[in-house]
Amino acid sequence: MNGTKAGTIVEAKMKYCISCGQEKPINDFLRRTGRRERPDSRRGTCKQCRQAGTAAGQYSEQTTVSVAHLPAPGRARWSRKKRQPILYVRPTHAINGSSLRADDLRPTWRGVVRMRGRSDTGRRWIQEVDLAQARQLVKEGAAIIINPYTIRMIYSGKEFRKFILARDHHTCHYCGEYGDTIDHLLPRAKGGYTTPVNCVCACLSCNQQKGNLTPEQFMQFLLEQHKEPHLK
């Protein structure tokens, strides 16, 4: 009897992987967890496929669910039902802001709107602003709506400066000379924001002289300066 047991050959159980389509020993599969777990209960994806990550291009052509029709860009994630990698596609309003408008913004339970952006070095940042400011930034083309509670700034500091100077052809908005600085039409001290609508190119002299004046006040100041020499 003992000799019979010693000479018995135990065959290893095999199982097909739903990701790579290859037949592998059952020990290469992870067990399920839960109340109804049994000793032979195992997941349909082998350890190698699970450790390889969720990149869609890492699976062979024998995969039961084809991923050839999926778009190339995007972020991969797991589908709980099919256990296959599918690409996460950002909503349309997160790309061009066409689905949601500024009036669709809503504050969170804390009474604020989340604002995201990137610094000049590419580092991400997030801060909280009030609802009125968030709507104004969206209306004046400085931010887009990600969801009803979040907006994202379109430009970083350097990108915004280059955009304004290129848009105005390095021409001062007030005197028409060469300009290389950015000026706020409505000063920030009086509630103006850094947006394409509220910012213009200005020369250093006009920018310093204008200070916290509104465009009407500054133009009146320039007219008075030109009149004084003639009066003398």
Side-chain angles (χ1 to χ4, degrees):
M1 190 68 178
N2 294 336
T4 305
K5 290 184 177 181
T8 303
I9 299 176
V10 180
E11 296 182 359
K13 294 183 179 181
M14 306 296 289
K15 184 179 180 67
Y16 283 97
C17 175
I18 65 173
S19 295
C20 62
Q22 299 179 2
E23 186 179 11
K24 298 183 179 180
I26 198 170
N27 293 332
D28 289 348
F29 297 85
L30 299 179
R31 292 185 178 182
R32 294 184 183 273
T33 58
R35 296 180 179 179
R36 298 182 180 180
E37 178 183 0
R38 299 188 304 272
D40 58 340
S41 298
R42 301 174 187 270
R43 295 186 182 272
T45 305
C46 64
K47 293 181 181 179
Q48 290 76 9
C49 292
R50 292 178 63 85
Q51 293 175 358
T54 57
Q58 294 182 1
Y59 296 90
S60 64
E61 298 178 355
Q62 298 179 357
T63 307
T64 56
V65 179
S66 176
V67 295
H69 64 280
L70 298 177
R75 184 178 60 193
R77 64 180 178 87
W78 283 100
S79 171
R80 292 187 177 181
K81 294 183 178 179
K82 297 183 179 180
R83 292 289 173 183
Q84 292 295 326
I86 60 176
L87 296 182
Y88 173 75
V89 181
R90 295 175 58 189
T92 306
H93 61 76
I95 301 175
N96 52 27
S98 59
S99 298
L100 296 179
R101 305 299 179 185
D103 295 335
D104 296 331
L105 287 173
R106 298 290 182 269
T108 62
W109 63 273
R110 301 179 61 179
V112 296
V113 176
R114 293 184 293 266
M115 181 173 65
R116 300 176 181 176
R118 287 183 180 270
S119 63
D120 294 334
T121 58
R123 186 174 182 179
R124 296 181 180 179
W125 54 264
I126 182 171
Q127 69 181 50
E128 297 176 344
V129 297
D130 55 18
L131 180 60
Q133 180 178 352
R135 289 180 174 177
Q136 193 68 20
L137 292 174
V138 173
K139 290 180 180 180
E140 296 186 3
I144 61 175
I145 301 176
I146 302 298
N147 56 58
Y149 310 97
T150 309
I151 63 173
R152 178 172 63 84
M153 299 299 293
I154 301 176
Y155 308 98
S156 64
K158 290 183 178 180
E159 292 174 348
F160 182 77
R161 183 177 183 276
K162 291 180 180 179
F163 168 74
I164 296 298
L165 295 180
R167 183 196 66 182
D168 297 345
H169 306 286
H170 288 267
T171 304
C172 180
H173 179 75
Y174 305 105
C175 64
E177 300 295 333
Y178 175 81
D180 56 356
T181 64
I182 304 299
D183 181 68
H184 293 73
L185 295 176
L186 179 62
R188 286 181 292 181
K190 297 183 179 180
Y193 299 113
T194 306
T195 62
V197 176
N198 192 46
C199 291
V200 294
C201 176
C203 63
L204 182 60
S205 176
C206 291
N207 200 346
Q208 291 179 344
Q209 291 181 7
K210 180 176 179 293
N212 291 334
L213 300 177
T214 62
E216 295 77 11
Q217 294 173 344
F218 181 60
M219 296 305 295
Q220 185 65 26
F221 170 76
L222 292 179
L223 291 175
E224 293 177 357
Q225 275 192 335
H226 285 289
K227 290 180 180 179
E228 289 181 357
H230 297 288
L231 295 176
K232 295 180 180 179

